[in-house]
Structures are given as structure tokens and as C-alpha cells.
């Protein structure tokens, strides 16, 4: 059986498919192992034995967005459920109850001064509508979300994931690179949906959250280059949400050590927290539902260009179940109801593909 990734970059009028050329995709045990590698990367939030970094290697093929047939049927050798490794998902059913427990636990850490920020994520199940195929959801996402990175990926190691994400982790080639700090979230409603969020006023909490991420990225880039520039923040739209975004452009002497840059950047405070290592360790020990490949990253690496995006607004498709993931950054003045509603708004990106 053949692993694959099909993706559409923001605003492009075509998709690209990469089929694993032989055997299973390469498994890597750390992000630094990506140094000098080429292929489509699928990286988890936490790299460990049953959640490796996966590299799909094959020749990219351009795919028309008008052709919705022939890519995922079994006669073409794509994966079916029995080829996916058995992966345990725990404690999804009682989402609201577990979120309440987790929020209290996380927020107490902020009140005690253990973290400046920490991200709390959750997962919810939705039924796949009768007769809807994975590729249907991919093409619908391409149609509904032209400004987002859309990817459908399936490997034995990861299972099947669909993402529609606005967040660049690393983008570029040769000496010229860019990344972004994306944080803060508000939902557009009513007449606001006709614009880009230009009339909205950002709260102090959202501004602080975005500044934390931008400062962290600055500190990461200083390890690799002195030639970088920050622009922003500015309001940007992603589906029916808006975020605060700062853009960083920078120079690297070579692109042979991209894995080292990724090791420094990932996970950013936008999906983890600060201090980074302490927040990361707390999350993996305390969140009720493992994130797996949610809030990791994916995209083509050194395939002419590199386009790596944080795996947000995503779902794990498992048979007739769609496991939807979302999270939000908590600060000391965060409230449970507001943060829950933010995750609900973020899950709407995937729910609209299923129900609209």
C-alpha cells in the first residue's frame, strides 16, 4: 500500500500530490534528522517512538483542482484502515468535563507564576456523513479556504489527517526564509464577514499573547542569523476567524541545517507556552487527549521550495469518525468560557467541511 500527501498552497489554482515511491515513509526520531533531507514532512507535537517524524519521498505531481476522482481508491494502491497502525485515542467523549478539569489545572499554574503562557487543547468527535470521502473534504477545503494551506496526508505511522491552516512555521529556499508569529483570535460575525477584520479592536490579552510569540521567534532566529526583519503585527483573516500576525524575513548561510532551525522553532508558544520546555512537559503529562500530529507541522521540505505549516484547524479521519482538534493560549487573566468558545470557533473550520 502507498502512503501519500496531497496539498494546496494558499491562493494556488492547483494541488500537488506526492506518493511514497517504495515501501513505507522514512521514520525520523528528531527534527534535527531533517538536516539535508527532502520530501513531504509530517511531524507531531511530541516526537516519540509511536509518533515519529515521517518523511514521504516521491516525485511531486501537479493535480488539477477540477479533477476529484482517482486518487484515493484502492485500485491505485492507497491505504485502507487495516494498514494504519492501531493508535489509542483516549477521553474524547467527555470533552467539556475534561476541559473544565484541564483549564483549572493549567490556570492554577499561571496564577502561581510557573508559566507566562500555556496552550490548552482538546479533541471532539464528529461523524463522517454517509457517502463523503476523504478527497471530497480536501477539495471542499480548497474551495472554501483559498487563503489557507490545505493538506490531506495518510501514512501507516500517522493515520489520515486533513488540515486547513493559516500558520507558516518555515518557508523559503536557498538563503531567503520567512516565518510568522500568529496568535490572538477573534471570530467574525454578521457584517464583519464582508471584510478583513479591520474594524475590530484587540484586547490586551490577545496583544500580549501575540507579543510573547513574536519575542520567542526573535530569540530563536538570533541563534542562526543576525540578518532578519520583523514587520507587524497586523490583523489577518483565516476562514471566519482573525488573528494578529507578525512576519519575519531572514537570511541563512545555507539550507543544510533546516532541521536545526525547526528544532529551535517547534513548538512555538502559539501552540505550547513559555517557558517552552517546562510548558511542553506539562502539556504532554496533563492534557487528557494526546495531541499526536495536531499542533505539529507538515509540508514539502527542500522540494524546490520549503513550505512548512503548523498543523492547526485539523482533523484525524479514522473510519467514519473525524477527530477534530483545537486549542487556545491561556494567560493569567483567561476565563474558561472564553477559551472554550475560542476552541469551538476554531473547530468550525473543519465542521463546515462536514456539514455545510
Amino acid at each position: 500500500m502507498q502512503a501519500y500527501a496531497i496539498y494546496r498552497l494558499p491562493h494556488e489554482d492547483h494541488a500537488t500530490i506526492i506518493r511514497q515511491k517504495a515501501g513505507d515513509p522514512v521514520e525520523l526520531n528528531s527534527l534535527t534528522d531533517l538536516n539535508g533531507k527532502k520530501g513531504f514532512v509530517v511531524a507531531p507535537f511530541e516526537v516519540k517512538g509511536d509518533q515519529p517524524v515521517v518523511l514521504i519521498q516521491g516525485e511531486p505531481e501537479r493535480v488539477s483542482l477540477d479533477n476529484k476522482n482517482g486518487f484515493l481508491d484502492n485500485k491505485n494502491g492507497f491505504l485502507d484502515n487495516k494498514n494504519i497502525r492501531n493508535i489509542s485515542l483516549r477521553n474524547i467523549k467527555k470533552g467539556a468535563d475534561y476541559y473544565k478539569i484541564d483549564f483549572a489545572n493549567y490556570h492554577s499554574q499561571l496564577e502561581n507564576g510557573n508559566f507566562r503562557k500555556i496552550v490548552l487543547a482538546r479533541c471532539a468527535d464528529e461523524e463522517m456523513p454517509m457517502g463523503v470521502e476523504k478527497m471530497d473534504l480536501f477539495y471542499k477545503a480548497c474551495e472554501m479556504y483559498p487563503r489557507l494551506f490545505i493538506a490531506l496526508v495518510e501514512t501507516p505511522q500517522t493515520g489520515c489527517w486533513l488540515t486547513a491552516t493559516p500558520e507558516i512555521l518555515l518557508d523559503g529556499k536557498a538563503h531567503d526564509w520567512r516565518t510568522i508569529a500568529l496568535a490572538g483570535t477573534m471570530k467574525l460575525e454578521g457584517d464583519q464577514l464582508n471584510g478583513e477584520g479591520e474594524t475590530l479592536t484587540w484586547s490586551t490579552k490577545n496583544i500580549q499573547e501575540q507579543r510573547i510569540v513574536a519575542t520567542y521567534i526573535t530569540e530563536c532566529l538570533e541563534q542562526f542569523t543576525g540578518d532578519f526583519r520583523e514587520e507587524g503585527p497586523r490583523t489577518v483573516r483565516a476562514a471566519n476567524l482573525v488573528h494578529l500576525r507578525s512576519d519575519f524575513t531572514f537570511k541563512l548561510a545555507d539550507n543544510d541545517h533546516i532541521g536545526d532551525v525547526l528544532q529551535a522553532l517547534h513548538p512555538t508558544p502559539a501552540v505550547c507556552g513559555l517557558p517552552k520546555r517546562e510548558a511542553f512537559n506539562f502539556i504532554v503529562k496533563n492534557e487528557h487527549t494526546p495531541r499526536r500530529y495536531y499542533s505539529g507541522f507538515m509540508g514539502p521540505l527542500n522540494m524546490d521550495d520549503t513550505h512548512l505549516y503548523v498543523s492547526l484547524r485539523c482533523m484525524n479521519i479514522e473510519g467514519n469518525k473525524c477527530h477534530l482538534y483545537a486549542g487556545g493560549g491561556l494567560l493569567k487573566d483567561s476565563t474558561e468560557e472564553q477559551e472554550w468558545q475560542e476552541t469551538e470557533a476554531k473547530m468550525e473550520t473543519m465542521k463546515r467541511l462536514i456539514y455545510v
Side-chain angles (χ1 to χ4, degrees):
M1 288 297 192
Q2 194 176 32
Y4 66 91
I6 183 169
Y7 67 92
R8 200 262 354 246
L9 295 173
H11 302 295
E12 284 197 336
D13 60 0
H14 67 278
T16 301
I17 190 166
I18 300 169
R19 315 168 199 256
Q20 178 64 30
K21 57 187 176 184
D24 287 340
V26 174
E27 294 186 19
L28 304 174
N29 296 318
S30 75
L31 297 181
T32 57
D33 290 342
L34 289 169
N35 286 336
K37 297 293 195 304
K38 174 182 177 180
F40 190 97
V41 180
V42 190
F45 176 71
E46 176 193 18
V47 181
K48 59 180 185 177
D50 62 349
Q51 291 174 185
V53 179
V54 176
L55 191 65
I56 303 171
Q57 296 179 308
E59 291 302 316
E61 304 170 44
R62 184 169 171 143
V63 177
S64 169
L65 290 175
D66 295 326
N67 179 13
K68 302 184 180 181
N69 301 311
F71 296 110
L72 299 184
D73 52 18
N74 286 331
K75 71 176 183 293
N76 279 339
F78 287 103
L79 301 175
D80 55 36
N81 288 332
K82 67 177 181 289
N83 296 98
I84 304 299
R85 293 182 188 174
N86 185 28
I87 301 166
S88 174
L89 292 171
R90 66 180 190 271
N91 299 333
I92 293 175
K93 295 293 186 183
K94 298 181 179 178
D97 292 341
Y98 282 122
Y99 188 85
K100 182 181 289 292
I101 294 169
D102 283 349
F103 182 89
N105 188 13
Y106 279 47
H107 198 255
S108 68
Q109 298 294 315
L110 292 164
E111 289 181 318
N112 292 336
N114 295 332
F115 305 118
R116 291 173 58 199
K117 170 189 174 176
I118 189 165
V119 176
L120 173 57
R122 69 183 183 92
C123 183
D125 275 1
E126 299 288 341
E127 294 285 339
M128 180 78 87
M130 188 72 66
V132 174
E133 301 293 338
K134 303 164 189 175
M135 185 56 75
D136 297 332
L137 297 180
F138 172 80
Y139 277 100
K140 191 172 184 180
C142 289
E143 181 180 351
M144 293 182 71
Y145 306 127
R147 51 183 103 200
L148 304 184
F149 173 79
I150 312 296
L152 177 67
V153 179
E154 191 166 12
T155 76
Q157 299 96 328
T158 64
C160 183
W161 290 78
L162 175 67
T163 186
T165 176
E167 185 166 352
I168 297 168
L169 182 64
L170 192 62
D171 186 276
K173 64 178 178 179
H175 304 299
D176 299 313
W177 297 86
R178 67 178 178 132
T179 186
I180 67 172
L182 191 76
T185 301
M186 285 197 288
K187 185 176 181 179
L188 297 176
E189 297 177 309
D191 292 341
Q192 295 170 346
L193 291 166
N194 297 321
E196 300 296 315
E198 62 274 6
T199 62
L200 297 175
T201 301
W202 289 96
S203 67
T204 301
K205 185 260 184 185
N206 279 303
I207 294 170
Q208 289 176 341
E209 185 181 347
Q210 198 276 338
R211 192 66 246 158
I212 286 171
V213 179
T215 300
Y216 169 82
I217 290 176
T218 297
E219 293 170 352
C220 286
L221 294 181
E222 287 173 342
Q223 302 174 42
F224 300 96
T225 180
D227 188 357
F228 67 90
R229 183 176 66 177
E230 177 186 356
E231 295 182 355
R234 59 191 173 92
T235 300
V236 294
R237 182 171 175 176
N240 62 336
L241 304 177
V242 289
H243 307 284
L244 280 171
R245 167 174 165 169
S246 294
D247 291 75
F248 293 82
T249 54
F250 58 99
K251 299 281 189 180
L252 293 176
D254 61 65
N255 61 357
D256 294 331
H257 298 89
I258 294 303
D260 295 339
V261 179
L262 292 168
Q263 180 70 28
L265 286 174
H266 175 72
T268 74
V271 297
C272 182
L274 282 176
K276 173 179 172 176
R277 187 50 47 189
E278 289 83 353
F280 176 85
N281 290 335
F282 186 87
I283 288 168
V284 298
K285 290 177 182 176
N286 290 278
E287 267 183 356
H288 272 90
T289 304
R291 296 187 183 189
R292 301 183 58 234
Y293 289 85
Y294 163 69
S295 67
F297 63 89
M298 64 174 69
L301 172 70
N302 291 330
M303 303 187 77
D304 293 329
D305 298 351
T306 292
H307 304 285
L308 302 177
Y309 283 75
V310 182
S311 302
L312 305 176
R313 317 293 191 272
C314 66
M315 68 168 77
N316 173 214
I317 303 170
E318 190 178 41
N320 65 346
K321 292 286 186 183
C322 299
H323 307 298
L324 277 58
Y325 291 80
L330 308 188
L331 300 179
K332 194 173 181 179
D333 60 351
S334 296
T335 66
E336 180 188 336
E337 178 61 23
Q338 287 179 332
E339 297 300 330
W340 174 268
Q341 290 303 326
E342 181 174 320
T343 62
E344 285 285 288
K346 289 174 176 176
M347 285 185 179
E348 281 296 316
T349 302
M350 288 288 109
K351 287 182 180 180
R352 290 178 69 200
L353 300 179
I354 301 171
Y355 297 119
V356 174

